[in-house]
Amino acid sequence: MNRTTDKLDRPLRDLRISVTDQCNFRCSYCMPKEIFGPDYAFLPKELVLSNEEIVFAARSFAALGVKKLRLTGGEPLLRPDLSELISSLMAETGIEDISLTTNASLLPRYATKLKEAGLKRINISLDSLDKERFALMSGGRSSPEAVIRGIDAAAAAGLPIKVNMVAKLGVNEQDILPMASYFRERKITLRFIEFMDVGETNAWKMDQVVPAKQILETIGRHYEFEALEPSYRGEVASRYRFKDTGSEFGIITSITNPFCGDCNRARLSAEGKLYTCLFATAGTDLKQHIRSGISQADFTQLVSKLWSIREDQYSEDRSKGRPLKSNKKVEMSYIGG
């Protein structure tokens, strides 16, 4: 195995693969309905990577040190051959830690099949247990009850679960404690995510961020908890454990305490572009190389070269007042979270 590091000596360990740019929700922080309306032009099928092409790419990433694959979107469960893709990735890359990020609305239909295909973990987005605030966050699509049914289906299938809540000031900050209480009792890890300036369409403003300090103070007024050490280098969430139940929660502090220094994640878009940062302005087209018939060895060398020149640290640059690139950032729905 080659050890590939970037200009800041960060290894390549985690690959996020967007398997579709489409979604059945319209979350305000990701795919606002005002932009992604009925006439929005999503990628035609012929431009989306096939299962075989995704597996080809993943083999090279595995050879360069990737240990984790996360399948994202859009909503990945909208891809009809997702279980087959998971099985192929398991069989052909040697990577066993394959996870999925989903809004859970389709999990009652697919959870067991995903588990049987080899899926190891699942991350589920849920921003409120309140119907009205859930509707505000999700663009009026689905309901918290539907997401809970998806969580129940994943639990019944034996899939370890983490739930992600984006906290947005003036919208759902009052849901921090109810969400913490609910998942604390269920012993499911809840991770709060500071509202991030990803892409150009979510109308991000700094004064809409609920900072980690406020989240901890809100929970701390009701429950005792203790900080935990990171499980591994590059873990994105600061971890905490309730002292009485032993269940955990976490906070992803991309705004108030960036973690660029340990970022080891690459992202592959649905149409085969490689992005080396969630806040990237442009990606490198890998699909053209795959479809040209490039050998596996040459493709591995290409990916290694692209990672070796990486120097992205957008969140740290922003937090320290350094000059930022002026080009528009890629949308989260295009490359996953």
Side-chain angles (χ1 to χ4, degrees), residues 245-287:
T245 64
S247 50
E248 292 188 22
F249 69 95
I251 308 178
I252 297 176
T253 59
S254 294
I255 305 300
T256 61
N257 188 24
F259 37 82
C260 301
D262 282 332
C263 180
N264 53 23
R265 289 169 294 286
R267 291 173 168 85
L268 187 64
S269 75
E271 65 172 342
K273 289 185 178 180
L274 174 66
Y275 292 86
T276 53
C277 179
L278 180 60
F279 303 93
T281 59
T284 301
D285 187 359
L286 298 184
K287 181 176 62 184

Side-chain angles (χ1 to χ4, degrees), residues 292-306:
S292 73
I294 190 172
S295 70
Q296 192 79 62
D298 286 346
F299 186 77
T300 302
Q301 187 175 12
L302 170 65
V303 174
S304 178
K305 181 179 179 180
L306 291 171

Side-chain angles (χ1 to χ4, degrees), residues 199-329:
E200 301 293 325
T201 63
N202 70 4
W204 182 87
K205 294 179 181 178
M206 186 68 188
D207 60 9
Q208 293 177 317
V209 175
V210 182
K213 182 174 183 290
Q214 181 177 336
I215 294 171
L216 291 174
E217 288 174 350
T218 298
I219 297 173
R221 285 194 290 268
H222 297 267
Y223 301 113
E224 292 188 358
F225 58 83
E226 57 190 354
L228 299 175
E229 292 296 319
S231 300
Y232 53 88
R233 180 186 174 185
E235 185 172 26
V236 299
S238 300
R239 296 170 56 221
Y240 302 89
R241 179 169 56 207
F242 291 108
K243 289 186 176 181
D244 54 352
T245 64
S247 50
E248 292 188 22
F249 69 95
I251 308 178
I252 297 176
T253 59
S254 294
I255 305 300
T256 61
N257 188 24
F259 37 82
C260 301
D262 282 332
C263 180
N264 53 23
R265 289 169 294 286
R267 291 173 168 85
L268 187 64
S269 75
E271 65 172 342
K273 289 185 178 180
L274 174 66
Y275 292 86
T276 53
C277 179
L278 180 60
F279 303 93
T281 59
T284 301
D285 187 359
L286 298 184
K287 181 176 62 184
Q288 64 172 329
H289 296 282
I290 296 172
R291 293 188 177 178
S292 73
I294 190 172
S295 70
Q296 192 79 62
D298 286 346
F299 186 77
T300 302
Q301 187 175 12
L302 170 65
V303 174
S304 178
K305 181 179 179 180
L306 291 171
W307 187 263
S308 71
I309 62 175
R310 174 194 191 231
E311 53 186 357
D312 305 283
Q313 48 180 351
Y314 172 87
S315 291
E316 288 193 7
D317 287 342
R318 180 202 51 222
S319 69
K320 295 179 180 178
R322 298 170 184 155
L324 300 173
K325 295 179 181 179
S326 59
N327 295 333
K328 290 185 177 181
K329 301 188 294 294

Side-chain angles (χ1 to χ4, degrees), residues 18-27 30-31 36-38 40-46 48 72-80 101-103 105-106 141 269-271 332-336:
S18 177
V19 298
T20 179
D21 64 329
Q22 299 186 40
C23 187
N24 53 346
F25 282 17
R26 290 294 180 268
C27 296
C30 183
M31 293 181 70
F36 296 86
Y40 185 83
F42 290 99
L43 291 170
K45 185 177 180 180
E46 62 270 17
V48 176
T72 71
E75 172 47 54
L77 293 181
L78 293 178
R79 184 168 175 132
T101 297
T102 174
N103 61 36
S105 62
L106 297 174
R141 304 285 184 94
S269 75
E271 65 172 342
M332 182 185 290
S333 60
Y334 189 67
I335 56 172

Side-chain angles (χ1 to χ4, degrees), residues 21-65:
D21 64 329
Q22 299 186 40
C23 187
N24 53 346
F25 282 17
R26 290 294 180 268
C27 296
S28 59
Y29 52 84
C30 183
M31 293 181 70
K33 60 184 178 182
E34 296 80 8
I35 305 295
F36 296 86
D39 298 326
Y40 185 83
F42 290 99
L43 291 170
K45 185 177 180 180
E46 62 270 17
L47 293 185
V48 176
L49 290 179
S50 68
N51 281 5
E52 292 75 19
E53 291 167 338
I54 291 174
V55 171
F56 178 89
R59 280 199 295 262
S60 288
F61 280 93
L64 295 171

Side-chain angles (χ1 to χ4, degrees), residues 82-97:
L82 186 63
S83 295
E84 290 80 3
L85 174 60
I86 292 169
S87 295
S88 296
L89 288 168
M90 283 283 294
E92 299 190 38
T93 67
I95 298 174
E96 295 185 354
D97 190 348

